[in-house]
Amino acid sequence: FNKEVDKETGFTTKNLLVYPITRSNLRRSRSNADNKVFAVIEAINKTEGTFTAEDECILAIMGKQAGVLLSNSYFYQQLQYESNKTATLLDVSKEISDVQMDLGKMMTRIMTRARQVLTVERASIFLIDEGKKELWSILTDSEMAAKVGGDNVIRLPVGVGIAGTVAKTGEMLNIVDAYRSPLFNPAFDKLSGYVTKAALCVPIRATTKSRVLGVMQFINKTNGQPFIEEDENLATTFSSFVGISLNNILLYDELREGQLMKEKNKELVIL
């Protein structure tokens, strides 16, 4: 018993009866997850005497009823969340499907949407420059760009740092504590005054087995918690949309450049 609560409230606890609420209260299951307590119902100070066996039965019935209501509410919220998430991802796929969209504009739009979908403080897209063996990204925050040197383009070597490692290996990284990771480079934090706590970085591919085009990096969940498996799955799905759209834009640019080159060659032949 924690006496500090009574001291702070001025209340005097004499006796109490507590009943755990678990998912196993709701259905027969041997799952460890179902036996986990997710709430409790508590009765304090019997008005006459002490709590009896009958009181225990009554509280158990109330606890099971509360468990049903809480679980139904939780499941409803999950359904709503999944529905909203699916709708948002569909919106994103439509928004970035225009092959004639400017690459910088597309990156900015994706980063804005990514922050909303994964509820993170920052989201970045790094694309691979094959010629220079570098990653490059656009800083959409002009104030942040000024802090790190005035240029709105960041360049990092492939294979260095969290983003560089993911670009090289093609494997996702989920960093719970950035400053404890040997891959994390705190230089950007020092220049910008920002504090990176947790990071999730996933490769961008047009298809599952195709080459890595770049990486998406998500920094700091807005709730202050580490990234979980659900975030990893969502980030992977998001990056697949980005990969397809990015690949389409790059192919379109190549075709357009090839067409322009043909037209120039025709002009030279005519001359």
Side-chain angles (χ1 to χ4, degrees):
F1 176 71
N2 185 1
K3 297 179 181 179
E4 295 301 317
V5 177
D6 275 13
K7 288 180 181 180
E8 291 181 8
T9 61
F11 185 78
T12 302
T13 301
K14 298 176 182 177
N15 48 56
L16 64 153
L17 184 62
V18 185
Y19 184 82
I21 299 174
T22 66
R23 300 197 189 286
S24 60
N25 292 151
L26 313 181
R27 58 185 185 277
R28 292 180 181 178
S29 173
R30 296 180 180 179
S31 167
N32 290 331
D34 285 341
N35 291 324
K36 184 178 180 181
V37 176
F38 70 93
V40 296
I41 183 168
E42 183 178 73
I44 300 177
N45 290 359
K46 179 81 170 175
T47 53
E48 293 182 7
T50 57
F51 291 104
T52 63
E54 184 180 357
D55 294 326
E56 292 178 10
C57 291
I58 293 171
L59 192 66
I61 292 170
M62 294 177 65
K64 289 178 181 179
Q65 291 176 337
V68 171
L69 293 173
L70 287 171
S71 290
N72 287 344
S73 175
Y74 171 77
F75 291 139
Y76 176 75
Q77 288 180 350
Q78 284 296 106
L79 286 172
Q80 285 289 99
Y81 172 76
E82 291 297 329
S83 176
N84 292 337
K85 182 177 71 176
T86 301
T88 301
L89 288 172
L90 286 173
D91 287 342
V92 169
S93 66
K94 292 176 183 177
E95 287 179 8
I96 63 178
S97 61
D98 183 5
V99 295
Q100 298 186 50
M101 185 187 300
D102 175 73
L103 186 57
K105 184 178 180 181
M106 188 197 80
M107 291 174 70
T108 302
R109 185 174 293 182
I110 290 170
M111 286 186 281
T112 300
R113 276 297 200 171
R115 286 195 296 270
Q116 297 170 351
V117 173
L118 273 89
T119 58
V120 295
E121 293 179 0
R122 297 188 183 279
S124 303
I125 296 176
F126 291 89
L127 301 182
I128 296 178
D129 184 333
E130 295 287 357
K132 296 182 178 180
K133 299 298 180 184
E134 289 181 334
L135 291 171
W136 66 274
S137 179
I138 297 174
L139 270 176
T140 56
D141 188 334
S142 58
E143 184 178 342
M144 186 67 71
K147 287 182 179 180
V148 298
D151 189 356
N152 70 335
V153 177
I154 305 173
R155 288 191 173 272
L156 305 168
V158 171
V160 176
I162 296 172
T165 300
V166 172
K168 182 178 180 179
T169 64
E171 300 292 332
M172 175 177 59
L173 281 176
N174 186 345
I175 308 297
V176 176
D177 187 341
Y179 279 83
R180 288 179 179 271
S181 171
L183 297 175
F184 177 65
N185 181 2
F188 187 81
D189 276 13
K190 291 177 181 178
L191 288 170
S192 63
Y194 184 74
V195 179
T196 301
K197 298 174 184 176
L200 176 63
C201 193
V202 295
I204 298 173
R205 289 187 172 95
T207 62
T208 306
K209 296 182 180 180
S210 63
R211 67 185 177 89
V212 177
L213 301 173
V215 302
M216 291 192 72
Q217 184 169 265
F218 307 93
I219 303 294
N220 294 357
K221 291 282 290 183
T222 54
N223 62 8
Q225 298 298 312
F227 290 97
I228 59 176
E229 185 179 356
E230 183 180 348
D231 297 316
E232 294 177 358
N233 295 335
L234 191 53
T236 302
T237 302
F238 204 99
S239 69
S240 66
F241 286 151
V242 174
I244 293 168
S245 297
L246 180 60
N247 190 57
N248 289 341
I249 288 176
L250 294 174
L251 288 175
Y252 177 79
D253 286 344
E254 288 177 7
L255 289 172
R256 186 174 57 180
E257 288 177 8
Q259 187 63 37
L260 290 173
M261 186 63 70
K262 286 182 181 179
E263 290 176 2
K264 286 182 179 179
N265 289 337
K266 285 181 181 179
E267 290 176 2
L268 290 172
V269 170
I270 293 170
L271 292 173

